[in-house]
Amino acid sequence: MNRPIVFVSEPIAAAGMDILAEHCEIIAPWQQGDKAGEIPPQADAALVRIYTVDDSRLDAAPNLRVIGKHGVGLDNIDIDAATQRTIAVVWTPEANADAVAQHALSLLLGLSNRIKTADAALRQGHFNDRMQFSSLELTGRTLGIIGLGRIGSRVAKKAALGLDMDVLAYDPYVERTTYSGPAAFVDELEDLLARADFVTLHVPLTDETRDMINTGRIAQMKNGAYLINTSRGAAVDEAAVATALQSGHLAGAGIDVFATEPPHLEHPLQKAPNTLLTPHVAGLSDRALVQVATQAAEGIVDVLQGRRPQNPVNPNVFD
Ligand code: NAD
């Protein structure tokens, strides 16, 4: 019997490729150093990272039965167009949540312990200036989490149990009776902003969350508070954050995501003081990369073999 054909648009961990290779023929142009190009018309499945899957690409791939998303951001896949064609979409919602939570806390720790500036001072021969780099002790300080979903709830646990922080959470969509973690809910975002020493964002980008942290909201934050963003760049007004860093109202910011990626070298946050900026790497831990590739591949194989996948995005295609 012919084995199904799966198109893998971008490199993934070997563990995921091994699962696919066991059951499918693989078309992966990157293995020959080629660009992804179009989904081949004979493909039964596609596994994509940030590769765009839109209406016209679906039209050109009439045999497609399943699309596996490597990760959680579904904005590169036209889910409605796939659903109309009864193409299943599977994703990996839990696979990199610990990695992102760890990265958010790395930014928080890097800022509170002044790692970047202390390292630079030492390298410049200023060992004896070390009193300038005394840290901000986190024990008993307050972390405000906006968005208590998969990542936010992990941040809450790690910060409360690992760092002994007091944790507040603002998330109007979480049913409080179902939450059993260490975070204390607040009803109003303003309340969280007024009480938190560190604010960390873990919301999806929606009309409601776009520019959620803007000039007005920053003014509601404590003088000397820190902002961490590993969610989506457009959830904060980057220029407003840079202005607040320049004025000192914000003491520091740790940012992994930008409204436009890559951010240009003249981006206001590049010039703002006391920032830790990383290139959208929060989800890219060794473990997460294996888990994401494995789960996306397993979801594809499940659908191709007629089983209901563990993480369907459009479960109605199985009805
Ligand atoms: P999730 O859906 O599990 O959690 C998001 C939470 O935000 C939900 O509990 C939801 O109720 C809450 N929320 C939605 N609108 C809100 C609002 N207006 N105010 C307060 N809370 C609101 O998602 P997740 O898996 O935890 O991911 C969170 C974010 O992290 C997403 O934007 C995702 O794209 C981003 N992310 C970034 C990286 C990275 O590499 N930096 C990797 C993975 C995910």
Side-chain angles (χ1 to χ4, degrees):
M1 207 176 95
N2 284 346
R3 282 152 51 96
I5 295 171
V6 57
F7 169 65
V8 183
S9 58
E10 297 128 302
I12 64 166
M17 293 296 280
D18 291 346
I19 291 168
L20 294 174
E22 207 179 311
H23 305 280
C24 314
E25 298 303 323
I26 297 176
I27 298 178
W30 49 271
Q31 287 181 317
Q32 286 79 45
D34 294 334
K35 290 209 166 101
E38 299 304 317
I39 304 174
Q42 70 273 32
D44 298 284
L47 193 158
V48 301
R49 294 183 72 162
I50 57 169
Y51 179 88
T52 301
V53 183
D54 56 17
D55 212 41
S56 65
R57 281 192 163 148
L58 292 176
D59 272 343
N63 292 341
L64 214 59
R65 285 147 59 199
V66 53
I67 300 163
K69 166 68 191 191
H70 181 285
V72 289
L74 292 165
D75 34 303
N76 58 316
I77 302 173
D78 188 335
I79 306 294
D80 290 340
T83 307
Q84 274 162 22
R85 294 167 172 80
T86 59
I87 297 170
V89 182
V90 298
W91 66 325
T92 62
E94 301 281 342
N96 60 11
D98 273 309
V100 181
Q102 177 179 322
H103 195 80
L105 291 170
S106 306
L107 294 173
L108 187 155
L109 284 163
L111 290 166
S112 59
N113 282 57
R114 318 210 193 287
I115 299 292
K116 187 167 95 169
T117 39
D119 178 276
L122 178 121
R123 290 170 197 278
Q124 287 159 13
H126 302 306
F127 186 96
N128 289 328
D129 292 345
R130 65 191 200 280
M131 286 305 287
Q132 291 175 21
F133 308 113
S134 60
S135 63
L136 200 69
E137 195 166 312
L138 296 174
T139 305
R141 283 210 156 84
T142 300
L143 173 65
I145 298 177
I146 307 177
L148 196 66
R150 286 176 286 264
I151 297 170
S153 58
R154 282 166 165 86
V155 172
K157 200 166 134 190
K158 292 174 198 289
L161 304 182
L163 299 172
D164 217 2
M165 297 185 80
D166 294 332
V167 181
L168 301 176
Y170 171 74
D171 190 328
Y173 304 106
V174 165
E175 183 52 62
R176 295 181 187 199
T177 51
T178 62
Y179 177 73
S180 57
F185 281 95
V186 296
D187 291 327
E188 304 295 336
L189 179 55
E190 290 67 24
D191 188 19
L192 178 144
L193 297 176
R195 291 164 64 190
D197 301 298
F198 293 82
V199 171
T200 184
L201 281 162
H202 300 289
V203 288
L205 184 62
T206 64
D207 289 346
E208 217 181 23
T209 62
R210 187 176 296 277
D211 276 346
M212 185 175 208
I213 298 299
N214 52 28
T215 302
R217 290 263 164 73
I218 293 169
Q220 292 166 346
M221 290 171 71
K222 275 187 181 177
N223 201 21
Y226 291 76
L227 178 71
I228 312 290
N229 187 16
T230 57
S231 66
R232 283 291 179 263
V236 308
D237 176 343
E238 295 168 330
V241 173
T243 302
L245 287 162
Q246 296 288 2
S247 76
H249 180 65
L250 286 182
I255 309 284
D256 183 54
V257 284
F258 300 85
T260 302
E261 296 182 348
H264 59 76
L265 295 177
E266 299 302 308
H267 191 286
L269 286 171
Q270 299 257 23
K271 298 204 166 88
N274 210 19
T275 54
L276 285 179
L277 308 178
T278 53
H280 203 147
V281 294
L284 305 185
S285 74
D286 54 350
R287 176 171 169 263
L289 285 170
V290 170
Q291 289 191 161
V292 169
T294 305
Q295 291 176 21
E298 284 172 348
I300 285 175
V301 172
D302 280 342
V303 175
L304 291 175
Q305 297 188 344
R307 292 186 297 274
R308 199 183 168 89
Q310 204 153 35
N311 296 305
V313 174
N314 51 356
N316 41 338
V317 302
F318 300 103
D319 294 342

